[in-house]
């Protein structure tokens, strides 16, 4: 039974606490947060203790920590926890600062216990089925990938201020998905973006609508489209043209009810909330982490994967600002 | 080049005239109608002559007639035309009177030239693809057939008065479709029906909503559902559970445009008008008739098929009125 | 906090135990089964005690029992538990014997605590959305209901022997669904059925393929189609033509992945297993029961609903055997 | 009745001849081709004369010409025909050479009779419905447009050699579609492309897989994806995220038959052949041209539209070769 410390007690930590508890091989022993009363509330619901982050990391009886603290603390905590001999599952992104993430990657090199990054969407059953079909050769070789990722509605402007921008905060999921599906990093990236939904986002120098094109060494191409507002729910689609056909992962509708009338045939819109859409993937992610720790295998998503996604976010930010495609080689790919 | 006489110049005759003209092996030479000016208008549009029905049948240069006159004249005209050595394509139903249709069947027995009945839906490309998949063994043996056939809106009450009732006028298409798909006649039929849409239809002793269950000698079952009003277009669906899967023929939508918004995902409704839905099938039906005449083969839909569908309509009418299932053996199946 | 005793520890009891535990207002205190070791295993997983059924019913600290024992014990246990002052949630069907179920209904009349019957599908989110749309007037008045319910594959023949037959065991869900959707009992029922999938089922006098037509006092019609084998997963569809349009509840696919190739566009088949399809509805059913007990309201599904569904199953069995429609008035509707 | 001369008698001219004949206000009087016997064959089928292009243009009784000759003759013929006082419908693209097309545009300035360019897809009923919904405000303001256009299979390499390349030959349709939907020209364009399907296409310096991103002055973005090979039919989709929702135009399937089995739910693939997909749009295009000529209105697609699409093709070709986004202002937009 793995004994788990949960660092950070925000909204997503409730999801993680449930997943930790549901897995028969892990148990939640302690929760920390910079607001101890928030930690206490979550800990109480799962019969865990409330401690400081330092105490949890120092406790030799804790086998692994799940880092769900603010992004700018991730690298420090990964280094501290691995130094203390703990396995780590860290929420995405690794960092907002690519250099810092890379130093973290260097720092943990050679440490025995796994560090896994929480790109939970890889564990979504639909996307996992998609990837398995591709790996199984069902559409031949990949040629042209499209990822559509539209939020239901824009985030509060306060959130946008500290998010690191659309590319680091939102599209980073899609960069990792592209890396997951294509199985390699692109060689070149070109970004377009604008703020046409929320002027305040534009005033921050950020964008709310963006398209990034990735080109691979073999000539394959990927396109990622992001918008901060769909108006019809959480739009999360992937499609890949291969040498022998097309794979698509469609949206998950709220229900299967269809109404036909004189004004058309109306089906339900996609589910609206990311927790509804991805609850299962958070649980499967945790199960994969437990399996990784217990088996001693390489984690399915490594810190390098986290750095790679961040590298693409950084490159996209630059390309969008300069209107020039960026070669990933320049980024030390 | 087959020389064709068209008997009857109503709405559907315009469709037939176009089909006759479009086929490279047939030409429309004459049109008749009890209202000669109606015949003249149609004839004029296709550079054909206006004649009486008798003249057309008597003309030895006419190779075939297409009978699209009122239903109560069909049997007489089939007999007269075949006696005059003409091939015949006759609109459905053969007759409203089962006995009369059977006498017609007897009368033409042994005549050399083909008599084909115009159950055009067998030639609809979707239903033909459905039938071909079944014949090809794609779902194994048929077990449970469902036919849904809802008109967009009720007919004028004047039409209902002379239609022979829902079973003979509307469901007859579906009876023929069941015979086409199953490849045999049922042994028993049970009908339920009521008038819940148009009270005037009920006042005529007719129904506007009906369900008929057919049972076959091998234990297979078919269900036909009819309504005189869908409210969302022409609903024409077939599905068949087989021993190895399910086949469905879905509706044909007006267009492929889909709109997603906060109130759902809206697709176009099915096409509304039977001519829009079945224009292609009328043309293919004619082409099949021409092919039949030129090849000397048995027509794909014989007068016996027409009598069979009428027998089911008659049995359904009785079953609905008496609330008792009807054995088709009693009908001389 | 309601203290719950769970009677019966078969497969479905695991689902119930999870639901009881997940609800913040109920706790599982004891489990019984005729095989005590089976009860012990389930009890152990949920930190509950293993007791005899009699002990649980006799324990004044137990507020409610969930009856998931073999069907032929349901009536006895409902009577005993309500006599002991317990609220009851009883799995469907109430009984295989309509008279026994009616005596049970009489016996509990006037008892204060609720008896709810576990027709879980009413709580399926898709069907509940469907019902809400109807209740909301979105398609006007109901006219023609169709329920399609095909099992993925036939049950073991041993199961079929004690099931009470397709109408009491399988279609009873659909009878209750028809009652739920239409909001009233039909006045007449006509059944057709045959054994064309598993000869051994036919040898038992049972059927594996069946169609039942229900007619309502207002002229509305409902059709229920059952098959013991789809071959493509659990097919669970409802559609209702109303005076202003059509409502459909479609199947729940295994995933949203679609593959297009030269041989067509392939989507996932419906989920295969009833627990996967209806896990959520079992949980919502339990939540509704807890709410019923705590509020003192009438349960959303009463014992009378259970008797009504059983009455339709009985009538269908007779109609199928005699080939004669059955008037529900004769059944004391 | 407009008297029409058809210049060029290749495959697409058969479609045009049918459309000319079907319109009640136009008649085909003459056909020309550099291979007179090809012209004669087509002319014969429509009871038209075979003449030289020069004769047709010189004939004062010819009201309009339809130019369907090789692309490099378009500009010359447009100039000659308009000089001779004829209305012109010219197949796309106007020219492979942007400068030549612009000189043509200048040359015809001020001429009274209309010159319309044959971007037939604007008349496709699905895309026209899409555009009408947008114009009707159904999704608010356009924000992010995606056009997917995949050919079923690569063209013969001989065709590719003279096509002018993917951007001028294939994506030109999509450039015009973007202009049609967005109602304005973009300000910047960025192209990526590679040859990963047919090495011989790459050897010509051309691409078979390409993505172009267009940015508009208001910050809107459009993405066009092209592939020379889908493997599953003609993939022709458009989707547009607006401020109030999403519009999509989906593919047109070969039929509506769906087969469910243990291996999934299989629907028909999109129609394979462009003539099957766009036959209706060619006819509607012609009808719009006739209406334009008869009404004296501005054509729905002008020579300027043709030049605009060609400008985007030219810019895309350069951007792809240089890996640098291109400002359309530099192209004299």
């Amino acid at each position: 039974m793995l004994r788990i410390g949960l660092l950070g007690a925000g909204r997503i930590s409730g999801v993680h606490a449930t997943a930790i508890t549901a897995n028969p091989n892990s148990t939640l022993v302690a929760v920390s947060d910079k607001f101890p009363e928030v930690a206490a509330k979550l800990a109480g619901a799962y019969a865990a203790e409330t401690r400081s982050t330092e105490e949890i990391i120092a406790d030799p009886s804790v086998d692994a920590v799940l880092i769900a603290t603010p992004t700018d603390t991730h690298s420090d905590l990964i280094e501290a926890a691995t130094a203390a001999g703990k396995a780590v599952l860290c929420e995405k992104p690794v960092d907002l600062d690519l250099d810092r993430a890379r130093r973290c990657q260097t720092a943990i090199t050679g440490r025995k216990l796994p560090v896994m990054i929480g790109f939970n969407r890889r564990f979504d059953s639909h996307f996992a089925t998609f990837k398995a079909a591709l790996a199984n050769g069902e559409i031949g070789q990949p040629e042209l990938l499209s990822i559509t990722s539209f939020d239901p509605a824009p985030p509060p402007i306060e959130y946008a201020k500290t998010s690191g921008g659309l590319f680091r905060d939102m599209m980073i999921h899609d960069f990792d998905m592209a890396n997951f599906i294509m199985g390699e990093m692109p060689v070149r990236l070109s970004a377009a973006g604008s703020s046409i939904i929320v002027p305040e986002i534009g005033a921050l120098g950020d964008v709310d609508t963006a398209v990034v094109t990735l080109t691979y060494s073999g000539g394959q191409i990927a396109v990622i489209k992001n918008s901060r507002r769909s108006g019809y729910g959480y739009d999360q689609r992937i499609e890949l043209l291969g040498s022998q056909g097309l794979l698509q992962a469609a949206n998950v509708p709220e229900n299967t009810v269809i109404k036909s009338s004189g004004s058309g045939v109306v089906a339900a819109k996609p589910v609206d909330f990311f927790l509804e859409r991805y609850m299962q993937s958070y649980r499967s992610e945790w199960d994969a982490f437990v399996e990784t720790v217990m088996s001693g295998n390489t984690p399915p998503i490594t810190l390098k994967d986290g750095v790679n996604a961040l590298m693409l976010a950084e490159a996209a930010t630059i390309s969008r600002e300069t209107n020039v495609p960026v070669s990933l080689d320049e980024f030390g790919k």
Side-chain angles (χ1 to χ4, degrees), chain A:
Chain A
M1 179 69 79
L2 294 179
R3 294 170 54 82
I4 309 299
L6 175 53
L7 313 184
R11 181 173 61 175
I12 200 61
S13 290
V15 177
H16 289 308
T18 303
I20 292 167
T21 304
N23 186 297
N25 294 314
S26 64
T27 186
L28 182 63
V29 296
V31 180
S32 70
D33 197 89
K34 66 178 164 178
F35 301 106
E37 67 281 10
V38 174
K41 189 169 175 195
L42 183 61
Y46 291 88
E49 294 178 16
T50 307
R51 300 191 199 159
S52 73
T53 295
E54 293 69 29
E55 285 169 342
I56 290 174
I57 289 178
D59 180 348
S61 82
V62 169
D63 299 302
V65 295
L66 195 161
I67 302 175
T69 52
T71 300
D72 58 5
T73 67
H74 286 180
S75 294
D76 290 346
L77 291 174
I78 290 171
E79 292 175 5
T82 55
K86 310 217 174 311
V88 172
L89 174 62
C90 180
E91 265 291 344
K92 57 100 301 208
V94 177
D95 211 294
L96 294 182
D97 178 337
L98 178 59
D99 288 335
R100 179 66 190 92
R102 282 175 162 158
R103 287 200 307 275
C104 180
Q105 189 183 357
T106 303
I108 69 159
T109 301
R111 286 184 185 159
K112 286 229 302 256
L113 286 169
V115 175
M116 175 167 153
I117 303 301
F119 283 115
N120 64 293
R121 294 183 191 178
R122 292 195 185 198
F123 299 97
D124 174 74
S125 64
H126 311 287
F127 298 148
T129 299
F130 182 107
K131 171 70 176 178
L134 173 64
N136 200 31
E138 295 190 24
I139 58 160
Q141 296 305 310
E143 292 175 353
L144 182 42
L145 173 69
S146 303
I147 300 177
T148 300
S149 182
F150 299 161
D151 280 348
I157 190 68
E158 287 309 309
Y159 175 87
K161 281 181 185 169
T162 62
S163 69
L166 179 141
F167 297 110
R168 289 188 191 89
D169 169 60
M170 179 178 176
M171 199 180 281
I172 197 155
H173 276 295
D174 308 302
F175 288 132
D176 182 67
M177 186 57 70
N179 291 343
F180 174 55
I181 298 297
M182 299 301 283
E184 62 178 318
M185 280 280 279
V187 292
R188 197 168 52 248
L189 175 157
S190 176
S194 42
S195 173
I196 53 181
I197 298 172
V198 181
E200 292 83 352
I201 286 179
L204 295 172
D206 196 2
V207 296
D208 48 37
T209 304
V211 172
V212 169
T213 303
L214 308 172
T215 312
Y216 295 83
S217 63
Q220 303 93 330
I221 307 175
V223 184
I224 300 172
K225 298 185 296 175
N226 270 193
S227 169
R228 286 290 192 183
R229 177 187 64 196
S230 77
Y232 54 86
Y234 201 19
D235 192 339
Q236 299 280 290
R237 287 174 287 154
I238 302 181
E239 77 172 53
L240 175 57
L241 178 67
S243 54
Q244 294 167 29
L246 185 82
L247 272 184
Q248 295 172 295
N251 281 315
V252 176
E254 291 179 332
N255 58 65
T256 66
V257 177
I258 300 163
K259 181 173 71 171
S260 299
S261 73
S263 52
V265 177
V266 189
K269 63 185 175 63
V271 295
D272 213 70
F273 189 40
F274 86 98
L275 283 183
E276 187 177 2
R277 177 64 183 82
Y278 287 119
M279 181 59 77
Q280 167 266 322
S281 71
Y282 279 107
R283 296 205 180 192
S284 300
E285 173 187 89
W286 179 256
D287 294 343
F289 175 70
V290 169
E291 164 66 20
T292 293
V293 176
M294 295 181 74
S295 67
N297 291 335
T298 302
I301 312 174
T302 63
L303 184 52
K304 184 171 194 312
D305 289 318
V307 170
N308 279 344
L310 194 56
M311 204 187 309
L312 296 180
E314 189 85 6
T317 305
I318 293 170
S319 174
R320 204 279 302 178
E321 289 168 0
T322 60
N323 270 322
V324 176
V326 169
S327 164
L328 271 303
D329 287 333
E330 301 164 23
F331 273 77
K333 177 179 71 91

